[in-house]
Amino acid sequence: MAAAGDGPWLDDAAGRLVRPYTVSGGRTRPSTTLDLVSQVMATGATPLGHLGPEHGQALERCRVPVSVAEVAAHLKLPAAVTKVLLSDLVDCGALTTKPPRFHHNPTDRSLLEAVLDGLRRQL
């Protein structure tokens, strides 16, 4: 079993020891509008207030521009929970967000191929 400070608190046999809804404090809606392909990036500002370990992991992942979907995959959390975490970081000034370049047509083939290529590079 992983120690409390190690990674996303996983147990080899049981899986995640902390349920996703507890990670977001029971919240299901982010305060910032985020799409799965929205780009987020750390601003360099130190977040104020209490943030959980997943917030820190998300912030570390966002040192370079990255999509919300990539952060969710890295954290092994549902996209809805990841959006809440990321919006917390936007609210405290630690992250900046940029809407997707393909905002007008989310089913555009080139967009889907770009997302797939990005995910393949991460694996």
Side-chain angles (χ1 to χ4, degrees):
M1 183 164 85
D6 294 344
W9 299 350
L10 297 175
D11 179 280
D12 292 337
R16 179 174 281 280
L17 298 176
V18 176
R19 295 287 180 219
Y21 64 85
T22 60
V23 171
S24 65
R27 294 170 294 144
T28 58
R29 295 183 188 226
S31 58
T32 303
T33 301
L34 294 169
D35 193 299
L36 285 177
V37 292
S38 294
Q39 296 287 302
V40 290
M41 183 174 172
T43 63
T46 303
L48 301 174
H50 174 71
L51 298 176
E54 287 82 2
H55 286 94
Q57 292 168 357
L59 192 55
E60 179 67 24
R61 187 69 178 166
C62 297
R63 289 180 294 168
V64 297
V66 64
S67 73
V68 171
E70 290 177 81
V71 175
H74 176 75
L75 295 178
K76 298 179 180 155
L77 286 172
V81 173
T82 302
K83 288 179 183 181
V84 171
L85 295 176
L86 293 174
S87 72
D88 291 346
L89 293 167
V90 169
D91 291 346
C92 72
L95 280 185
T96 186
T97 181
K98 185 169 78 170
R101 289 188 322 207
F102 303 98
H103 187 68
H104 64 282
N105 186 5
T107 58
D108 181 60
R109 182 178 178 96
S110 60
L111 167 65
L112 297 174
E113 288 174 353
V115 170
L116 183 58
D117 290 341
L119 292 172
R120 284 183 179 148
R121 280 192 302 266
Q122 295 299 317
L123 300 176

